Amino acid sequence: MSTVALTHIPLAQRARNILFRPRQEWDIIAAEDTPAKALYLRYILPLAAIGPVAAFIRDSIFGVSIPLVGHYRIPIGSGIAEAVVAYALTLIGVYVLAFVIAELAMAFGGEKSLPQALKVAAYSSTPVWVAGVLHLVPLLGILILFAGIYSLYLLYLGLPPLMRAPREKSVGYTLGVIVAAIVIYIVIGVIAGSLVTLPTASFTIG
């Protein structure tokens, strides 16, 4: 079977396909030979930046109004530092998720493959990354939660074709990945929090 590299598929087209026709797209992705470097450079890096950039613009450029409290704005320097840390943790988190997916594969009847697992981790994260633009509008922040739920659904759909796990074990595999990833992400967050201390945001009353 011939393979198709990610470099031949525009980012917007891949994102649209995985969002609106995931079952068909996972089968296409499973047959692709995409190096980790290309996946990061052409897909993960640009999409993962949406959320941190939007949050920076909201917090440091526009500021946020809180009823009965006032208007707060994070200093530009602090906002940049916060965005960089959030972005770095996202990039690390994708690889951590891929590692978890690969390590658990054989326990659920699948095949251990880090390259395939990285594709599952990256493409299933698409809804959350795209929804990151909603950080610009605090009132729409709840929609990011729904994007996260859809990402879990994409993970569930992607595990069988990419990791060659039986479909009847997809639910258990998905839950295993979620639990393990949450634990690792908490550890990463604690470490990052101990290394980075950001100044307090400034408030304007009224």
Side-chain angles (χ1 to χ4, degrees):
M1 178 183 296
S2 61
T3 56
V4 180
L6 173 65
T7 52
H8 295 160
I9 301 176
L11 182 152
Q13 178 182 337
R14 169 50 50 81
R16 182 174 60 252
N17 289 348
I18 198 66
L19 288 174
F20 297 108
R21 38 166 285 178
R23 291 183 184 275
Q24 301 93 317
E25 198 65 14
W26 277 129
D27 289 335
I28 295 173
I29 291 170
E32 293 176 349
D33 180 15
T34 307
K37 181 179 179 180
L39 187 57
Y40 261 93
L41 291 177
R42 297 178 178 273
Y43 197 85
I44 298 174
L45 264 64
L47 286 186
I50 295 175
V53 170
F56 165 73
I57 294 174
R58 177 199 63 201
D59 294 339
S60 296
I61 305 300
F62 298 149
V64 177
S65 294
I66 302 177
L68 304 179
V69 175
H71 188 84
Y72 84 88
R73 181 180 289 108
I74 295 177
I76 296 292
S78 300
I80 292 176
E82 188 176 47
V84 169
V85 170
Y87 186 46
L89 288 179
T90 298
L91 300 181
I92 294 172
V94 176
Y95 190 84
V96 169
L97 181 58
F99 178 80
V100 170
I101 291 171
E103 289 298 313
L104 292 179
M106 296 181 66
F108 292 94
E111 296 180 4
K112 181 178 178 179
S113 171
L114 188 55
Q116 290 291 80
L118 183 59
K119 290 193 287 185
V120 176
Y123 295 129
S124 65
S125 298
T126 301
V128 172
W129 290 340
V130 172
V133 71
L134 297 176
H135 283 300
L136 289 171
V137 186
L139 293 178
L140 298 180
I142 186 64
L143 296 180
I144 298 177
L145 174 62
F146 291 108
I149 294 174
Y150 190 55
S151 285
L152 297 181
Y153 175 65
L154 292 184
L155 174 67
Y156 165 78
L157 292 180
L159 290 174
L162 273 80
M163 306 310 296
R164 300 189 181 280
R167 290 195 176 276
E168 60 270 19
K169 295 186 178 182
S170 292
V171 173
Y173 194 176
T174 301
L175 292 176
V177 170
I178 292 172
V179 172
I182 286 175
V183 173
I184 296 175
Y185 287 160
I186 290 175
V187 173
I188 292 176
V190 171
I191 294 174
S194 67
L195 296 177
V196 180
T197 301
L198 300 177
T200 304
S202 59
F203 279 84
T204 302
I205 305 300

